[in-house]
Amino acid sequence: MSVTAACGVGGAEGSAAEGQPKRTGKVSGQITFRTLQLKPNFTAYVQGVIDAFEKKYPDVKVTWEDVPGDGYNEKLVADAQAGGLPDVVNLNTDSFQLLGDRGMLADVAELDPKVAKEYVPGAWDQYKLPGKRDGVYAYPWYVTPEILTYNKELFADAGLDVNKPPTSVEQFFDYAERIAGASGGRYTAFMADPKGRLPGDWQKMGVPILNKEKNAFVFDTPKAVEWVQRMKKLYAMGAMPKESLTKADDLAQLYGAGKLVFGPGSPGILKDVKRNSPAAYGKTQVAKAVTGKLGHIGIYTQSLGVRKDTKHPDAAAEFAKWVTNGPNQVAFSKQVTIYPSNAKGLADPYFADQGDGKDPETMARTVGAEELKSAQLDANTPVEWTTQVGDAVVREMQKGIRGEEDATAAVKNAQEAANKILAQQKKRQ
């Protein structure tokens, strides 16, 4: 039974005939708000945002619940089936697809026809769904962009110019080959981590991920095969820690110990390096992310969806917009290394201040914020690339990189497995 059918979407008060809630102009009612792992570290911040909203709209009462990350998607499905989905709910990529594809989220572009311009285009566009035209099914919340960090001392030790970081995947592999050749096993170039590298690396190499209709994966191309072949060669040369092919090693620890040239691709991890490995932190250079043929970066966002059959669409929409407005997102960004999806928030002077131009964390903030202004939808992981799809692809890539399977066969088998999963997902809708 589909989740949509099970929870009876569209039958509640406030729903239009087609299921989309209609605003009445009256912001009132009791709504529920669910977040993902924000207590206890950010309790004061979130409660402050809620209190300010209730002060502005005294006819609204917000009930906040925070849940752990383990089993989050399963809980969403269970709640949806029981008709207990919160009015405003924090979504990651997987949970957005889970609810969005099943028609359980309100079209916020219809609820708020003028709100699109308030958000960074790449973040706003990320919440469109295939076949839904211009509908947008969640308000973008906090964002993390890619950056490039590297140990400039080891970079120079390998004979590379510290002021000329790689700009394409192919060049990144060229550099890694030089690093492996020069290090003599004292350090490695980068973490293998196929799960983290795909599908981003392929997109930057010009590999199409989905067909035009977005109903089939089409990444089985010579370029994808080339990616496997180069990874296999680098792995054999010792350009990456052997164990990083199959498990998630502590990147910050290895980088902090001076065992890795390319460090965190997420600005947030620099805090750990700064706190635990000041020597490595002092040798860190920050640059724009590798973009390759894509020309722009991947961005990773959290969002706030509005339950499609909410009884209080005005209150739910205004609250989601309130949480994701510029001032509230800037205040959140000053407590943790995240970035606003809100365009006015991103324009705050805090994100342009380079300090003395030497502190890696400060430079990461300015580099990341600048990149976000031009980030595009197709630099992101498409919603069809679910955790299940990613795991299936990675299993084949691991075989290819270890040499247990021919690179051509690995890519072919990965695409077949991914399309089988995609077909099953479509059938369940």
Side-chain angles (χ1 to χ4, degrees):
M1 178 184 292
S2 74
V3 176
T4 304
C7 70
V9 168
E13 180 186 349
S15 298
E18 69 276 17
Q20 174 67 15
K22 297 296 183 184
R23 298 186 65 158
T24 64
K26 187 178 181 183
V27 183
S28 63
Q30 182 164 341
I31 59 172
T32 50
F33 173 42
R34 179 180 295 172
T35 55
L36 176 60
Q37 294 189 128
L38 294 185
K39 288 184 177 179
N41 291 344
F42 305 104
T43 299
Y45 167 75
V46 176
Q47 191 58 56
V49 170
I50 293 171
D51 292 345
F53 181 77
E54 290 178 336
K55 185 176 181 181
K56 182 176 181 181
Y57 297 104
D59 292 334
V60 178
K61 172 64 179 174
V62 180
T63 300
W64 174 31
E65 59 181 68
D66 187 75
V67 299
D70 289 345
Y72 187 67
N73 290 342
E74 290 78 5
K75 179 172 174 52
L76 281 178
V77 171
D79 288 345
Q81 289 175 329
L85 200 64
D87 297 281
V88 179
V89 58
N90 185 174
L91 303 170
N92 57 29
T93 302
D94 277 354
S95 48
F96 169 72
Q97 186 202 25
L98 194 67
L99 300 184
D101 278 0
R102 289 166 169 78
M104 307 182 80
L105 299 173
D107 179 351
V108 301
E110 189 174 314
L111 282 176
D112 272 312
K114 297 179 180 178
V115 79
K117 64 180 183 300
E118 296 184 17
Y119 296 91
V120 175
W124 179 252
D125 288 344
Q126 191 166 14
Y127 295 101
K128 293 181 177 178
L129 289 167
K132 301 288 186 181
R133 298 183 180 178
D134 294 327
V136 176
Y137 294 86
Y139 293 88
W141 198 7
Y142 54 91
V143 183
T144 304
E146 286 182 273
I147 57 168
L148 186 70
T149 65
Y150 50 98
N151 183 317
K152 54 189 176 186
E153 197 171 280
L154 297 180
F155 208 70
D157 184 67
L160 298 167
D161 185 341
V162 296
N163 296 313
K164 294 182 178 177
T167 58
S168 68
V169 174
E170 292 88 342
Q171 192 178 33
F172 182 85
F173 286 160
D174 291 343
Y175 282 23
E177 196 167 324
R178 289 187 61 174
I179 290 166
S183 73
R186 289 175 292 131
Y187 50 87
T188 55
F190 67 102
M191 303 291 275
D193 187 24
K195 187 172 185 177
R197 305 198 69 82
L198 296 177
D201 271 12
W202 285 349
Q203 289 175 300
K204 292 168 183 174
M205 294 173 74
V207 175
I209 303 301
L210 288 155
N211 63 4
K212 189 177 178 182
E213 294 76 25
K214 298 185 183 295
N215 57 16
F217 289 103
V218 292
F219 55 74
D220 184 2
T221 63
K223 267 293 182 185
V225 173
E226 178 189 324
W227 183 90
V228 182
Q229 290 169 334
R230 294 215 64 182
M231 286 286 285
K232 177 185 174 185
K233 181 180 180 183
L234 289 166
Y235 187 68
M237 290 180 69
M240 52 194 107
K242 294 290 183 187
E243 60 275 17
S244 69
L245 182 62
T246 53
K247 68 185 183 77
D249 278 344
D250 190 334
L251 183 150
Q253 188 179 33
L254 279 174
Y255 181 77
K259 299 292 185 184
L260 202 61
V261 174
F262 290 104
S266 168
I269 305 180
L270 280 176
K271 277 189 184 301
D272 293 337
V273 177
K274 184 179 184 179
R275 180 172 55 247
N276 300 321
S277 312
Y281 184 77
K283 297 172 185 173
T284 297
Q285 184 100 343
V286 177
K288 290 183 178 180
V290 169
T291 58
K293 287 183 168 38
L294 200 61
H296 37 72
I297 61 165
I299 57 175
Y300 308 95
T301 72
Q302 295 281 327
S303 64
L304 295 182
V306 172
R307 174 178 171 161
K308 192 174 183 180
D309 61 349
T310 177
K311 294 180 179 178
H312 308 290
D314 295 75
E318 287 303 319
F319 179 70
K321 197 163 58 175
W322 175 264
V323 174
T324 60
N325 72 22
N328 282 330
Q329 289 209 46
V330 171
F332 201 9
S333 300
K334 289 180 178 177
Q335 295 193 28
V336 63
T337 309
I338 54 175
Y339 297 76
S341 61
N342 186 284
K344 287 183 180 175
L346 200 59
D348 189 280
Y350 174 71
F351 297 99
D353 181 7
Q354 296 188 4
D356 62 5
K358 297 178 181 176
D359 177 57
E361 194 175 359
T362 304
M363 291 305 297
R365 183 169 63 234
T366 60
V367 167
E370 191 60 33
E371 288 180 326
L372 277 173
K373 294 175 184 174
S374 59
Q376 297 292 322
L377 171 65
D378 58 358
N380 298 307
T381 300
V383 294
E384 291 81 2
W385 189 282
T386 60
T387 299
Q388 198 178 0
V389 168
D391 288 346
V393 173
V394 164
R395 281 194 290 273
E396 295 300 327
M397 296 304 102
Q398 288 167 338
K399 293 177 190 174
I401 293 168
R402 281 196 297 253
E404 297 169 0
E405 193 169 64
D406 175 73
T408 303
V411 174
K412 178 176 181 290
N413 292 341
Q415 180 169 294
E416 287 177 356
N419 277 328
K420 188 175 179 181
I421 294 167
L422 183 61
Q424 291 169 344
Q425 290 170 341
K426 296 288 182 188
K427 194 180 294 182
R428 286 199 297 268
Q429 293 172 21

